Amino acid sequence: MFAELTTDSKFFYHNVLSIIMVFIWIYFGYKGYKLRNTKTLQSLSKWIIVFCIVQEILDFSNRIFLDPSYTFSIQRDLPFLQFCQVSFYFSLACIYLSRYKKNKLNQFLFDCSFLLGLSGAFQAIITPEFSDLNINNFIGVVCIQLQHSLIILNIIWLMCGYNYRLTFRGLCYTYLFINIIAPIALLINFILGTNSNGEIANYFYVNQLPPVDNFFLNFVSQYPSPDYILYIQPVFIIYFLILYLPFLVINKFK
């Protein structure tokens, strides 16, 4: 559990857990729909939140204490400073607040979670990057998989259990939100500098693009930072509109 794994073993455990999570997504989607507007839904929501928090505690415990090969640093490991992490925590906050009342804040949290986390989580699950993230042992593999698959689980739970849908207003607010984040992230990364391994702070990927073969990112990969932040704007717009299109069609059909 704590010993360093081979690359093949990392992919094996990751793929097995990914297959299991597909069935869990389906189950919780069905369960959420059947339990809508019931006290059982609220109770299960509480346990989803608890499980997600325990997973985060285990992940940081592994990075700091349990994995001797992992170099924990403020340049790479601060929470809430990547889009997937924003989506993860926003989805948890939305589930928690929706147990009491649905309002505009909850809708914004859902919209951000959906737009910033859904496809990014799928990408991370389909093409995991263990070397860049310094994932070494079994716990690390489980935590990095759950960090992304739980985003999808939370979004499915919100859509099926609480009837959330992506809105065009939320799309606009999320686009504005990421452009407010970008200059702040550049400043944070500049202040933090590099860690003991020579790795630069790269929160929100404003200094370096993630090392994945992504159709959208390939359009701007030839531009240096921070120039690609400007060139990626139309990519964000197209990407967000594509994600919104199914909801637009459903609304028109209704």
Side-chain angles (χ1 to χ4, degrees):
M1 185 174 293
F2 304 120
E4 187 166 349
L5 299 175
T6 64
T7 301
D8 289 341
S9 296
K10 294 175 188 177
F11 278 102
F12 173 77
Y13 292 127
H14 178 275
N15 292 338
V16 169
L17 183 55
S18 298
I19 293 171
I20 293 172
M21 287 304 300
V22 170
F23 291 100
I24 292 176
W25 295 337
I26 295 171
Y27 172 78
F28 273 85
Y30 171 77
K31 198 73 172 178
Y33 179 77
K34 297 295 288 186
L35 296 175
R36 188 178 294 177
N37 300 322
T38 66
K39 290 184 178 180
T40 307
L41 180 77
Q42 313 306 328
S43 179
L44 280 176
S45 296
K46 178 184 67 176
W47 287 111
I48 288 174
I49 295 171
V50 170
F51 182 81
C52 289
I53 293 174
V54 169
Q55 179 276 142
E56 283 291 277
I57 294 173
L58 178 62
D59 178 43
F60 278 95
S61 298
N62 183 57
R63 297 189 201 189
I64 299 172
F65 304 111
L66 304 178
D67 184 357
S69 300
Y70 194 95
T71 303
F72 185 89
S73 68
I74 61 172
Q75 288 80 8
R76 290 278 168 157
D77 296 290
L78 293 179
F80 205 72
L81 291 177
Q82 297 291 10
F83 285 125
C84 278
Q85 290 180 319
V86 169
S87 176
F88 179 77
Y89 291 118
F90 274 21
S91 65
L92 286 182
C94 187
I95 292 174
Y96 177 79
L97 294 174
S98 298
R99 294 174 65 234
Y100 303 101
K101 185 179 180 181
K102 288 181 65 174
N103 53 40
K104 292 182 179 179
L105 173 60
N106 298 1
Q107 184 64 50
F108 170 74
L109 294 172
F110 171 80
D111 292 332
C112 281
S113 299
F114 188 95
L115 291 169
L116 299 180
L118 190 64
S119 64
F122 272 120
Q123 179 76 29
I125 292 171
I126 295 171
T127 58
E129 193 61 46
F130 299 118
S131 58
D132 184 67
L133 296 174
N134 196 18
I135 304 300
N136 303 301
N137 59 17
F138 177 76
I139 295 179
V141 172
V142 171
C143 287
I144 196 64
Q145 204 287 337
L146 287 178
Q147 281 178 350
H148 295 102
S149 60
L150 289 177
I151 294 172
I152 300 172
L153 175 66
N154 292 345
I155 292 172
I156 291 173
W157 187 250
L158 286 167
M159 292 179 65
C160 296
Y162 292 96
N163 200 31
Y164 279 96
R165 299 293 183 267
L166 181 63
T167 64
F168 184 76
R169 177 179 294 180
L171 184 153
C172 297
Y173 285 158
T174 303
Y175 178 74
L176 177 63
F177 176 67
I178 62 176
N179 281 283
I180 292 173
I181 285 177
I184 298 174
L186 283 170
L187 178 61
I188 292 173
N189 290 332
F190 175 77
I191 293 172
L192 293 178
T194 60
N195 63 15
S196 58
N197 289 337
E199 299 169 323
I200 64 170
N202 189 32
Y203 293 116
F204 293 108
Y205 294 111
V206 293
N207 286 357
Q208 292 177 348
L209 290 171
V212 296
D213 185 15
N214 183 287
F215 176 77
F216 288 106
L217 295 183
N218 290 340
F219 280 107
V220 298
S221 59
Q222 70 271 26
Y223 298 105
S225 174
D227 294 358
Y228 68 73
I229 296 175
L230 298 176
Y231 290 100
I232 207 171
Q233 298 300 314
V235 173
F236 273 130
I237 294 172
I238 295 172
Y239 165 70
F240 281 4
L241 290 175
I242 291 174
L243 290 179
Y244 177 66
L245 185 60
F247 296 94
L248 177 64
V249 172
I250 292 172
N251 289 336
K252 291 294 182 181
F253 179 76
K254 287 183 177 180

